[in-house]
Amino acid sequence: MEFFDLISPLFVALVFAGTVVGIVFGAVPGMTATMAVAVCLPLTYSLGLANGLALLLGLYVGGISGGLVPAILLGIPGTPSSITTTLDGHPMSQRGEGETALRIGIIASLVGGLISLLILYLFAPTLADFAIRFSYVEKFLIILFALTVMAALSSNLLIGIFSGFLGIFISLIGTYDVSNGGNGEYRLIPPGTEYWLDSGFSLLPVLIGLFGLAAILEEAEVGVPEGQKADDIKHDQQRKFSLSIFKGQLTNLTRSSCIGTFVGILPGVGGSAASILAYSNAKTFSRHPERFGKGEPAGVMASESGNNGLTGGALVPLLSLGIPGDSTTALLIGAFTLQGIQVGPLFIGNNPSVWNAMIFAMLLANIFMFVVMYFAIRQVARIVTVPKQILFPVILMMCVIGAYTINYGIMFDVWTLLLFGLFGWLAIKLRLEIAPFIIGFILGPSAEVYFVKSLESFGDLSIFFTKSWIAVLLWVLIVASVTGSVLLSRRHARDNGAD
């Protein structure tokens, strides 16, 4: 089947529809790109492989990009990969620059998606070979590196590290699976809770609780404020947006996009690590790192170009190894399974027309995402004019629905939402760092598996230092990250003392 035989008006329409629906799912707190793909996956059986992938890839790109809307306007990341977007996007919105922050994020998303797609198309075989060279040792070290750079995002180095390891500790609750090197027994589970905690806490309810319910509880504590006035939004919208804000940011955009692509290639690391690494690097190399976290446009650029860079990179391990790069691409395997096709090393060579159709669908999805979001941004921005006493109950309802449906109707996920919502509310009072905690929670299980499998394979801790030049390079980056964090922390303390 030739490439052009796969491209039809229906194909283009499905990409467009998928992108729009994905944006909606990403923009509504509690609904993610993963959920959008999961809901629409059964439709691909009747659509055929190419048309089915067109719909799903549109959902993927739209869902990842749509997450910036609540992250900026509400301070609630619509997707896990939008966590760092809240750090600077929401402060910009609070000072009347919501539309500007959204436009910055949309353009950065387009740049990240296109750069990632270009790298994927031109260098997929080489990148796949490079990812194959990562053994359990290198995979563990890249996660350790992702955890150490979290210290750069924390107001206090020790609190940031503690929060990260607390997240890892909680992520290990559940059955110690034999396939992961365990003994199949329960661990860290209070007596009487084995039935609910057999598989630990699900990620999405935890994420919604920490970033959704906790914010609502915090607002309720001080009294629900009025929504932003329409006059303020009008003033923001009338302020001319200029591309000059991207002056001097080409390196940041390119570096962040490449980081997102590279992290996407590493199976299982995910969008959270991509955005956090891109954001950390942007802060490290910035001339004004003290502005990050207070409404710095470069932070929004780094986060959004990094997490959209993931969309192309995550397809490399999926198509070359049959291993999903993140939770959303894991669902794409279902589309291939429904059509009786197995992804793996021979997929691209045996299905060149389908491969080219996927690249074209990704290109269309990025273009449609930009056009839809950029030119409808004024209407999207008006979501903050909705009175909070109306908006918060709607958000709470969507959070509960999202938590309940992600695992096909498990009530314990709603209790998880409540538990971690209360934890997030208390964590703010205790001055714990939420971002390191959630990154530790996401990456903890993978880190454990890779660590145990490394010891099973090589039997000696020295292998983590001598396995390969890649391992040595990662240790250099880890040491540099910790050293840089210590120096930044001391400089911050010194500056505060001088004040």
Side-chain angles (χ1 to χ4, degrees):
M1 185 181 296
E2 296 295 331
F3 166 65
F4 289 105
D5 292 336
L6 298 175
I7 307 303
S8 65
L10 176 61
F11 182 93
V12 177
L14 286 170
V15 175
F16 179 78
T19 304
V20 173
V21 174
I23 291 171
V24 173
F25 268 78
V28 176
M31 302 173 69
T32 65
T34 304
M35 188 184 299
V37 173
V39 170
C40 297
L41 184 60
L43 298 176
T44 62
Y45 181 76
S46 59
L47 290 174
L49 181 59
N51 289 333
L53 289 173
L55 174 64
L56 296 179
L57 291 174
L59 290 167
Y60 186 26
V61 173
I64 295 293
S65 303
L68 67 88
V69 177
I72 291 173
L73 298 180
L74 303 175
I76 303 173
T79 61
S81 56
S82 299
I83 289 174
T84 50
T85 305
T86 65
L87 301 180
D88 288 288
H90 191 52
M92 290 183 67
S93 178
Q94 289 177 318
R95 67 181 184 224
E97 298 177 356
E99 182 183 341
T100 299
L102 287 169
R103 291 188 185 277
I104 291 172
I106 293 166
I107 294 175
S109 296
L110 176 66
V111 172
L114 293 180
I115 289 179
S116 171
L117 185 60
L118 180 63
I119 293 174
L120 170 66
Y121 185 71
L122 296 178
F123 304 106
T126 303
L127 293 175
D129 291 341
F130 186 64
I132 291 173
R133 297 175 62 182
F134 277 70
S135 67
Y136 291 122
V137 172
E138 286 84 7
K139 290 177 182 178
F140 170 76
L141 292 178
I142 194 67
I143 290 178
L144 181 61
F145 174 54
L147 293 172
T148 57
V149 298
M150 283 303 306
L153 302 176
S154 305
S155 58
N156 183 287
L157 176 63
L158 292 178
I159 291 179
I161 294 175
F162 172 79
S163 301
F165 279 95
L166 179 61
I168 294 176
F169 179 81
I170 294 179
S171 73
L172 299 182
I173 292 175
T175 303
Y176 194 7
D177 201 321
V178 175
S179 63
N180 295 337
N183 53 14
E185 297 182 356
Y186 297 127
R187 61 177 178 184
L188 306 177
I189 298 179
T193 62
E194 293 86 352
Y195 177 79
W196 296 280
L197 292 176
D198 177 79
S199 301
F201 294 105
S202 296
L203 173 60
L204 187 61
V206 171
L207 188 66
I208 298 172
L210 287 173
F211 289 96
L213 183 57
I216 294 175
L217 291 175
E218 186 180 8
E219 294 281 8
E221 182 184 15
V222 297
V224 179
E226 295 293 331
Q228 188 171 345
K229 296 180 180 180
D231 292 341
D232 298 333
I233 299 298
K234 184 177 180 181
H235 176 70
D236 180 35
Q237 292 177 347
Q238 288 179 341
R239 189 178 304 156
K240 290 185 178 180
F241 173 78
S242 174
L243 290 176
S244 62
I245 199 168
F246 285 90
K247 184 178 181 180
Q249 294 297 325
L250 179 61
T251 301
N252 179 21
L253 288 170
T254 304
R255 180 182 61 241
S256 300
S257 302
C258 291
I259 288 174
T261 304
F262 175 74
V263 172
I265 292 171
L266 302 177
V269 177
S272 300
S275 60
I276 214 70
L277 284 173
Y279 186 90
S280 299
N281 275 269
K283 182 176 181 180
T284 300
F285 291 103
S286 174
R287 295 180 180 178
H288 304 285
E290 70 281 356
R291 296 179 182 175
F292 281 69
K294 301 176 182 178
E296 171 60 34
V300 179
M301 298 177 197
S303 177
E304 286 304 313
S305 57
N307 63 36
N308 279 267
L310 177 85
T311 56
L315 291 175
V316 174
L318 175 70
L319 300 177
S320 61
L321 303 175
I323 301 173
D326 59 6
S327 59
T328 309
T329 52
L331 292 170
L332 294 179
I333 293 180
F336 289 101
T337 303
L338 286 174
Q339 301 298 327
I341 295 179
Q342 183 177 0
V343 289
L346 301 178
F347 173 77
I348 296 177
N350 292 342
N351 303 276
S353 57
V354 175
W355 161 251
N356 289 328
M358 292 181 68
I359 296 296
F360 186 61
M362 291 282 287
L363 175 62
L364 285 179
N366 278 281
I367 294 174
F368 288 151
M369 176 276 299
F370 173 77
V371 172
V372 171
M373 293 188 70
Y374 192 86
F375 291 102
I377 202 63
R378 295 190 176 185
Q379 289 70 33
V380 174
R382 289 189 177 275
I383 191 174
V384 298
T385 65
V386 179
K388 296 295 177 66
Q389 59 266 32
I390 296 177
L391 182 61
F392 281 175
V394 173
I395 294 175
L396 180 59
M397 180 185 68
M398 296 308 302
C399 288
V400 172
I401 292 174
Y404 182 72
T405 58
I406 189 63
N407 289 318
Y408 306 102
I410 296 179
M411 190 61 193
F412 181 71
D413 286 338
V414 178
W415 295 116
T416 299
L417 166 73
L418 175 61
L419 176 63
F420 281 89
L422 292 172
F423 171 78
W425 175 63
L426 291 173
I428 297 173
K429 299 180 180 300
L430 297 174
R431 297 187 178 181
L432 295 178
E433 298 282 350
I434 295 299
F437 174 86
I438 195 63
I439 295 302
F441 184 86
I442 292 170
L443 300 182
S446 297
E448 179 196 35
V449 172
Y450 297 150
F451 181 79
V452 172
K453 293 294 185 182
S454 297
L455 293 181
E456 287 181 348
S457 301
F458 303 103
D460 192 343
L461 284 174
S462 63
I463 196 65
F464 290 100
F465 302 90
T466 60
K467 173 66 172 65
S468 65
W469 67 268
I470 299 175
V472 174
L473 175 61
L474 288 171
W475 275 115
V476 171
L477 294 174
I478 290 169
V479 172
S481 174
V482 174
T483 303
S485 298
V486 171
L487 294 177
L488 285 173
S489 179
R490 288 183 176 179
R491 186 175 69 177
H492 181 70
R494 186 168 55 249
D495 292 342
N496 288 342
D499 294 338

